[in-house]
Amino acid sequence: MRCRSARGRTPRKEGDTHMSEVRVRFPPSPTGYLHIGGARTALYNWLFAKKHGGKLVLRIEDTDAERSTQESIQGIIDGLNWLGITWDEGPYFQSEHAAEHVAAANQLLASGHAYKCFCTKEELDAKREKAQANKEDYKYDGTCRNLTPEEVAAKEAQGLPAVIRFKVPRIEGKVGFDDAVYGRVERAYADIEDFVVVRSNGLPLYLLCNVVDDIRDRITHVIRGQDGLVNTPRQILIYQALGATLPTFAHMPLTLDLNKAKISKRSHGEIVAVQFYRDHGFLPWALANFLVLLGWSPGDDREIFSREELIEAFSLSGITRSNSIFNYRKDDPKFFTDPKALNINAHYLRSLPIEEIAPLVQKELEKAGLWDAAYAGEQKAWFLQTLTLIRERFHTLTDFATLGRAYFADDFPIDEQALTKNVLKHPELKELLPELADQFAALPELTAAEAERVAREFAEAKGVKPGLPINAARALITGQIKGPSMFELFEHLGKERVVKRLRRVAQYFN
RNA sequence: GUCCCCAUCGUCUAGUCAGGUCCAGGACACCGGCCUUUCACGCCGGCGACACCGGUUCAAAUCCGGUUGGGGACGCCA
């Protein structure tokens, strides 16, 4: 089926920017939050538009009034904003174009590309069930396809409700198109039933609305999930019947869960919500960077991209054809989501300019009630230095408020393992640490160099390994079993705090 | 069930169109080592895949056919 030559590293049909401006769209249906699958679709469209100097249209497909909600619309917009995906037009609302959809349906009717069908839902259901019972493939049998104008008029006179069906050409051959990702895709006319384009209540269906909107919005490239692949031949039929030019189609592989089921809001919940990542300390661009890699590759070894680099590198031809798995394990004690996503987030956390990280950390500290206005004022240098010191081993922004609490507050829990292993296991620390604290206190200035000298001499004098008081100090001062160099920390946190926390050792032995 | 799509390490993938440079490269994860006051970073090393069967060819991950496996779509949802 697929024409191999249509894909690969050689340029595929996707450029064609000379003819007209590139226009793509992201058309979410507002029936829930923005999930990572939708975000990825939006991202690919956005990248493609940016790459070609085109426009991205945001169009809310809200024709399913029963399921569409205002919160959902806001949630999607918030999600896109947070990710930094900007659009050039919209949001447009599909519901505002209902008249055009109806007009298009009437045009199809008038031109003989569609017909009224009076079969009732019950009749159809019965036929479908019968076919299923006989293990036969069900397709609409065309009962109303050849009704004479008189018959139609008679049924309408009786007030019988009717849907409008598209009249699929009953000819040999296939409808096909060159997908920018999958290559040549074809479907036999015989395999396409006369599908419904307008409900019996007069409301047009998605398949039609979507095409009408794309024509009106002058969409040149339809980049969407592979679950739309089988719809495409039918939509092409509509384009042709409406006398419109076909856009280029590019179907992207789906994102599956570990059980290889399509991820969905319904079955996967918050773990697939963009908002979840915002709330769990992800940097927006880190998520975007991770998502783009799910089904796309630049063709070389690069995996970390700045915005500009990604726009430059992005291409439809780099999209894979096979579905990818979003590798998260529920209840994994170590990784709360895909390890690679976490890794990319950690990468940005420790490599971005500290000034870019600071405002994001500020938000986390504010949420935890740990923010001090001075961190943005006279203590700004100290604050930035703190982040520089601790960000190296953090994976998310929330870590600053949890694992890093001791840097911003005097009340902080001490990691159990740190306490037992580095403090309680060595009862002599109960006397040693206050003594060390006294020596620090006696210093004119507690610099890193002085702290190191004093600590080492102290250990030697007491006949213990330097690691003993140092690691104990880490537990008591930072609450953690791991962390930055303690000598630097003694200086950075200041004599007063260091001495005070060291002297607290006794209370833990009770 | 029918139609469509897909198939390389556990996961994301490069390589497939233009067969040989691939006893298959990178990243994450995992394991070991170095570094070190701890952990992390970093560096070094290890583990680990062309689904299967045929065919074409001097030569196949790559081309062809089939099998198996997986996914998607089969609504008067979007």
Side-chain angles (χ1 to χ4, degrees):
Chain A
M1 260 324 149
R2 204 184 64 235
C3 173
R4 310 296 292 206
S5 64
R7 67 156 271 116
R9 289 295 162 202
T10 45
R12 288 188 302 205
K13 180 184 176 181
E14 68 170 74
D16 291 354
T17 49
H18 61 277
M19 49 187 272
S20 62
E21 175 187 49
V22 162
R23 293 175 60 85
V24 294
R25 83 303 198 262
F26 176 56
S29 54
T31 54
Y33 50 68
L34 180 66
H35 65 98
I36 57 173
R40 191 178 66 118
T41 304
L43 182 64
Y44 281 30
N45 275 282
W46 176 79
L47 287 168
F48 186 72
K50 289 293 171 209
K51 166 110 185 184
H52 296 285
K55 298 270 196 290
L56 172 62
V57 175
L58 175 61
R59 191 173 67 219
I60 308 292
E61 306 221 321
D62 57 347
T63 43
D64 186 350
E66 287 184 17
R67 294 196 299 157
S68 300
T69 67
Q70 193 57 45
E71 302 105 274
S72 174
I73 292 172
Q74 198 51 51
I76 288 166
I77 288 176
D78 288 347
L80 292 174
N81 282 336
W82 179 73
L83 274 171
I85 295 175
T86 53
W87 53 96
D88 304 283
E89 289 180 27
Y92 296 144
F93 293 88
Q94 189 165 62
S95 56
E96 289 172 2
H97 298 281
E100 291 169 46
H101 305 146
V102 171
N106 288 333
Q107 185 187 332
L108 292 176
L109 227 34
S111 61
H113 286 104
Y115 61 91
K116 289 192 175 176
C117 167
F118 297 89
C119 296
T120 65
K121 214 168 182 172
E122 291 68 32
E123 290 167 346
L124 263 17
D125 286 347
K127 286 180 185 175
R128 202 190 328 265
E129 276 169 36
K130 191 180 166 196
Q132 274 171 358
N134 295 338
K135 294 199 191 275
E136 286 166 7
D137 184 29
Y138 173 79
K139 281 193 202 64
Y140 178 62
D141 58 9
T143 302
C144 298
R145 184 177 166 111
N146 296 311
L147 254 28
T148 62
E150 292 71 29
E151 288 170 316
V152 170
K155 285 181 185 287
E156 284 184 320
Q158 290 175 53
L160 293 177
V163 299
I164 297 176
R165 283 184 187 274
F166 190 91
K167 200 172 201 171
V168 177
R170 288 294 160 238
I171 54 177
E172 288 292 303
K174 299 166 172 177
V175 221
F177 63 101
D178 292 305
D179 191 275
V181 173
Y182 289 94
R184 185 77 189 166
V185 177
E186 293 178 323
R187 191 144 178 225
Y189 286 106
D191 287 334
I192 308 174
E193 69 170 350
D194 286 352
F195 52 96
V196 176
V197 290
V198 179
R199 298 176 174 94
S200 54
N201 64 7
L203 294 176
L205 259 3
Y206 159 80
L207 220 54
L208 209 215
C209 300
N210 191 252
V211 169
V212 170
D213 291 341
D214 282 344
I215 292 171
R216 183 197 57 251
D217 292 335
R218 308 192 322 279
I219 300 305
T220 58
H221 298 259
V222 172
I223 304 169
R224 54 157 55 142
Q226 192 233 69
D227 43 357
L229 195 58
V230 282
N231 280 333
T232 311
R234 291 188 291 173
Q235 292 196 311
I236 286 174
L237 257 19
I238 297 177
Y239 274 97
Q240 290 170 341
L242 255 18
T245 312
L246 290 179
T248 296
F249 290 94
H251 288 89
M252 38 195 283
L254 305 178
T255 305
L256 275 23
D257 69 10
L258 224 44
N259 298 320
K260 298 197 172 171
K262 187 167 88 163
I263 56 163
S264 69
K265 307 164 198 180
R266 223 188 114 193
S267 45
H268 297 89
E270 63 167 6
I271 189 74
V272 301
V274 166
Q275 169 140 15
F276 177 83
Y277 293 87
R278 180 179 61 189
D279 295 345
H280 285 76
F282 263 72
L283 298 162
W285 186 249
L287 215 217
N289 195 149
F290 166 73
L291 288 178
V292 80
L293 258 16
L294 237 40
W296 174 84
S297 145
D300 54 40
D301 287 344
R302 288 176 297 162
E303 295 202 314
I304 299 292
F305 299 88
S306 69
R307 212 162 272 256
E308 296 67 31
E309 287 167 340
L310 188 56
I311 289 167
E312 170 61 31
F314 188 78
S315 137
L316 259 25
S317 63
I319 298 177
T320 331
R321 285 168 296 174
S322 49
N323 295 337
S324 53
I325 292 173
F326 178 56
N327 188 19
Y328 88 94
R329 289 155 210 278
K330 228 178 158 186
D331 308 320
D332 188 316
K334 196 164 176 190
F335 303 104
F336 70 84
T337 187
D338 192 306
K340 193 150 190 169
L342 248 9
N343 176 275
I344 290 175
N345 199 51
H347 169 85
Y348 281 107
L349 216 47
R350 63 174 177 260
S351 59
L352 244 29
I354 201 70
E355 294 76 19
E356 280 183 49
I357 303 291
L360 301 171
V361 174
Q362 177 178 343
K363 279 185 199 151
E364 291 300 327
L365 295 185
E366 283 170 348
K367 261 196 275 177
L370 295 172
W371 178 251
D372 183 337
Y375 296 157
E378 69 267 29
Q379 285 188 54
K380 186 168 181 187
W382 179 86
F383 178 63
L384 295 182
Q385 179 59 22
T386 303
L387 303 191
T388 306
L389 245 22
I390 62 180
R391 66 169 169 172
E392 187 95 330
R393 58 221 93 207
F394 287 171
H395 292 94
T396 66
L397 289 165
T398 53
D399 287 343
F400 286 89
T402 53
L403 303 177
R405 185 179 176 94
Y407 295 86
F408 309 108
D410 275 328
D411 62 308
F412 55 90
I414 293 187
D415 176 81
E416 204 182 302
Q417 206 193 346
L419 189 64
T420 52
K421 194 175 158 193
N422 290 343
V423 182
L424 301 184
K425 193 175 160 195
H426 314 281
E428 65 271 34
L429 287 167
K430 193 175 175 184
E431 273 74 45
L432 291 179
L433 256 23
E435 248 185 85
L436 180 62
D438 290 343
Q439 292 197 13
F440 280 163
L443 252 25
E445 199 185 347
L446 183 62
T447 62
E450 276 296 274
E452 176 158 13
R453 182 184 63 77
V454 169
R456 288 194 189 282
E457 286 176 7
F458 177 80
E460 198 179 341
K462 298 294 177 186
V464 296
K465 284 185 190 168
L468 182 73
I470 291 167
N471 289 327
R474 187 184 337 273
L476 256 26
I477 292 171
T478 71
Q480 299 291 305
I481 196 166
K482 53 188 182 178
S485 154
M486 279 314 290
F487 305 125
E488 273 183 74
L489 241 34
F490 289 140
E491 173 176 336
H492 182 68
L493 288 171
K495 199 200 284 186
E496 191 191 338
R497 241 185 301 196
V498 166
V499 167
K500 188 170 71 185
R501 291 180 186 181
L502 285 179
R503 283 177 176 157
R504 289 205 289 225
V505 65
Q507 72 190 68
Y508 296 101
F509 280 98
N510 297 332

